[in-house]
Amino acid sequence: FAVLYSPTEHAAAGPHGSAAPRWRELGRTETIPNNLDPAWAKTFVVDYFFERLQPFRVEVYDRDGASPDLAKHDFLGAAEFDLGNAITAAGSRLRIPLVEPKSGRAGPAAAAAAAGP
């Protein structure tokens, strides 16, 4: 299953002047069992504001039981994207590599963000 987040606020700027976003959960997709390339039916409707950065984060998990606690499931990776990039991508579909939790590098798995009417 996947979890979608949007930023709520920014933390204090770090030593290099950048601030890390704090994420608020927007929702979760359904679980698709035994599938290495799931196509979730759940969609998320968000407002788009032209010429404004709208970052989102998606985390992908392998469900290990019925618990809603994310720590009880296997974290497979995460990806961050800007809604404007999804809208302007070819076919309004953006493919983003998932960053693997152990290595911190982009792995072979990817998340897709699609924009529609």
Side-chain angles (χ1 to χ4, degrees), residues 25-49:
E25 183 177 322
L26 293 179
R28 299 178 184 196
T29 67
E30 71 279 8
T31 299
I32 299 178
N34 304 317
N35 191 321
L36 296 176
D37 190 17
W40 294 289
K42 169 78 175 171
T43 60
F44 299 94
V45 178
V46 296
D47 292 327
Y48 172 64
F49 300 99

Side-chain angles (χ1 to χ4, degrees), residues 64-97:
D64 289 330
S67 174
D69 182 359
L70 293 175
K72 304 282 186 193
H73 307 288
D74 296 328
F75 177 57
L76 301 179
E80 294 180 16
F81 65 96
D82 182 74
L83 184 58
N85 291 340
I87 289 172
T88 59
S92 295
R93 188 170 176 84
L94 182 65
R95 191 168 171 85
I96 315 120

